[in-house]
C-alpha cells in the first residue's frame, strides 16, 4: 500500500513539500528491516527517479528549491540500489541507462541534467 502511495508522485509534482514527504516515506520503507520489498523495488526506483529527473511543475517558480529535492532523490536512489539491488536483476544497468538517456538529450532542461549528474554521483565512481 505504501509503495502505491509513493508511486503517486506525478499527481503532486506541483507541490515540493508533498514530494519531499513521499521521498521520506520511500526512505522509511527501504530502511525497514521487517519489510521485504521484492517486486516493489522497481516502483520505488521509478518514483524516485521521477523526482530526480523530470522537470517538475514546481520547478517553474524560481523561488522553489527543487534542487534539494533532486539531491535527496539521488541519495535515495543510491540507497535503494545498494540495499535492494540484489533483489532485481539488471537494476544497475536500468538506472544507468535512464540517467545516460537524460544526459544525452539536449532538449531536456537543466534541472533534468542536474538530476542525472547527481544521480550518477550518488551511485559512486564504480
Amino acid at each position: 500500500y505504501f509503495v502505491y502511495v509513493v508511486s503517486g508522485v506525478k499527481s503532486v509534482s506541483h507541490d515540493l513539500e508533498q514530494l519531499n514527504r513521499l521521498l521520506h516515506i520511500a526512505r522509511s520503507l527501504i530502511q525497514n528491516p521487517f519489510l521485504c520489498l521484492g517486486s516493489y523495488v522497481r516502483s520505488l526506483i521509478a518514483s524516485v527517479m521521477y523526482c530526480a529527473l523530470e522537470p517538475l511543475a514546481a520547478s517553474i517558480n524560481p523561488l522553489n528549491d527543487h534542487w534539494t529535492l533532486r539531491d535527496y532523490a539521488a541519495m535515495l536512489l543510491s540507497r535503494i540500489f545498494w540495499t535492494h539491488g540484489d533483489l532485481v536483476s539488471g537494476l544497475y544497468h536500468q538506472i544507468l541507462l535512464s540517467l545516460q538517456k537524460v544526459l544525452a538529450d539536449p532538449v531536456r532542461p537543466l534541472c533534468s541534467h542536474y538530476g542525472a549528474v547527481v544521480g550518477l554521483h550518488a551511485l559512486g565512481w564504480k
Side-chain angles (χ1 to χ4, degrees):
Y1 174 76
F2 285 121
V3 172
Y4 176 74
V5 168
V6 172
S7 64
V9 295
K10 293 178 184 177
S11 63
V12 292
S13 69
H14 61 281
D15 189 354
L16 287 178
E17 190 173 325
Q18 286 281 39
L19 288 172
N20 198 19
R21 285 186 195 136
L22 289 174
L23 287 179
H24 282 284
I25 290 172
R27 187 197 68 196
S28 297
L29 291 171
I30 293 161
Q31 289 180 335
N32 190 332
F34 302 107
L35 291 178
C36 178
L37 294 177
S39 62
Y40 297 109
V41 172
R42 285 195 191 273
S43 296
L44 283 174
I45 289 281
S47 298
V48 171
M49 287 188 71
Y50 181 85
C51 290
L53 299 177
E54 293 303 316
L56 305 170
S59 62
I60 294 171
N61 185 352
L63 299 177
N64 288 337
D65 186 18
H66 59 94
W67 307 105
T68 304
L69 181 82
R70 293 174 195 282
D71 290 338
Y72 186 71
M75 183 277 307
L76 192 57
L77 181 68
S78 173
R79 183 170 293 186
I80 293 171
F81 172 72
W82 291 113
T83 57
H84 298 291
D86 55 340
L87 296 175
V88 181
S89 64
L91 184 64
Y92 186 68
H93 292 293
Q94 175 191 353
I95 294 171
L96 284 180
L97 286 175
S98 297
L99 296 175
Q100 182 183 18
K101 183 179 172 185
V102 170
L103 278 176
D105 189 356
V107 178
R108 298 278 250 174
L110 174 65
C111 58
S112 295
H113 287 270
Y114 177 81
V117 169
V118 295
L120 287 171
H121 178 65
L123 288 175
W125 62 272
K126 288 185 179 183

